[in-house]
């Protein structure tokens, strides 16, 4: 069973930062996911994913947010969230919190072993430790 934690006001602010970023920069077939990362110093870094026609060069919003934070000198990460904008033909027009893909789970874990990830579990938006999403991670020591 996955251990979950309730959201606090700071977590809701992080979801809003990711939502605002993708609302502002959404572009069909270019950017449909926004992410926001809260650093250990309290700074919020937000980014969008970059879509490519050749899928393997697409870069996830979480990876861009992590890279942006590191490039700004941040080293400790507290919490991360990704939010998906609906496509123009989606009937449901709501923004939705989404779980990080496998590669992003690896990246988050590599840079912040104790990072919280906000996602939906059984219809409820909660946060979990990245280790819960990647319990048997390959490491140098494993």
């Amino acid at each position: 069973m996955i251990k979950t934690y309730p959201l606090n006001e700071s977590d809701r602010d992080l979801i809003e930062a990711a939502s605002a970023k993708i609302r502002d920069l959404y572009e069909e077939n270019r950017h449909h996911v926004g992410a926001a990362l809260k650093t250990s110093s309290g700074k919020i870094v937000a980014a969008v994913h970059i879509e490519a026609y050749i899928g393997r060069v697409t870069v996830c919003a979480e990876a861009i947010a992590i890279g942006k934070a590191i490039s700004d000198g941040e080293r400790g990460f507290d919490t991360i969230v990704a939010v998906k904008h609906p496509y123009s033909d989606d009937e449901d027009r709501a923004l939705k919190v989404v779980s990080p893909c496998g590669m992003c789970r690896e990246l988050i874990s590599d840079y912040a072993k104790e990072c919280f990830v906000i996602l939906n579990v059984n219809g409820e938006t909660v946060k979990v430790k990245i280790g819960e999403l990647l319990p048997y991670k390959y490491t140098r020591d494993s």
Side-chain angles (χ1 to χ4, degrees), residues 23-128:
R23 268 195 307 270
D24 291 347
L25 297 176
Y26 174 77
E27 189 177 335
E28 191 82 14
N29 297 318
R30 294 253 185 229
H31 318 294
H32 69 273
V33 176
L37 170 68
K38 183 173 75 172
T39 68
S40 298
S41 69
K43 180 178 179 181
I44 293 178
V45 178
V48 295
H49 99 289
I50 299 172
E51 188 76 27
Y53 292 110
I54 300 172
R56 67 182 184 192
V57 294
T58 293
V59 182
C60 296
E62 298 96 326
I64 293 175
I66 289 169
K68 187 175 174 185
I70 290 169
S71 296
D72 288 345
E74 297 289 337
R75 292 294 179 262
F77 305 137
D78 182 77
T79 307
I80 193 165
V81 65
V83 176
K84 179 187 170 291
H85 191 285
Y87 286 103
S88 60
D89 60 350
D90 287 346
E91 287 184 30
D92 184 352
R93 303 303 303 155
L95 298 177
K96 292 189 170 47
V97 170
V98 292
S99 184
C101 73
M103 289 189 297
C104 285
R105 291 174 190 210
E106 289 281 348
L107 186 66
I108 294 163
S109 180
D110 284 349
Y111 282 88
K113 288 178 181 26
E114 296 299 315
C115 191
F116 285 101
V117 178
I118 298 172
L119 48 78
N120 286 308
V121 175
N122 299 323
E124 183 181 1
T125 304
V126 296
K127 61 185 179 180
V128 301

